[in-house]
Amino acid sequence: AGKSGKSKRSKSKGSRKKTKKPVSEVDILSPAAMLNAYYISHNAAACLEFRGFSWPDSPKKKGKKGK
């Protein structure tokens, strides 16, 4: 009954090999993607920017400051 609160377990670091999943092409015009773009974008330019097609030489968007 005099057991301590800590258990003695050996932890192995990175001994398991991770298998990489093949990256599949994502259709940005699929119905699910269009529905997502509809809810997150305010206009067409914002939709294109979210999809990776930003205006050339545009200023980078600054992060919001938390209080």
Side-chain angles (χ1 to χ4, degrees):
K3 294 181 181 178
S4 62
K6 296 180 182 178
S7 63
K8 294 182 181 179
R9 292 184 186 175
S10 62
K11 294 181 181 179
S12 61
K13 292 184 181 179
S15 62
R16 296 180 191 168
K17 292 184 179 179
K18 294 183 181 180
T19 57
K20 291 185 179 180
K21 294 180 182 178
V23 178
S24 61
E25 289 291 323
V26 178
D27 184 18
I28 63 170
L29 296 176
S30 67
M34 294 304 288
L35 186 65
N36 185 26
Y38 176 79
Y39 284 114
I40 66 172
S41 303
H42 296 289
N43 52 31
C47 177
L48 288 172
E49 192 170 338
F50 282 128
R51 296 293 177 236
F53 302 99
S54 59
W55 292 99
D57 300 330
S58 64
K60 297 291 182 184
K61 196 172 187 180
K62 294 183 180 178
K64 294 180 181 179
K65 292 183 179 178
K67 289 185 177 181

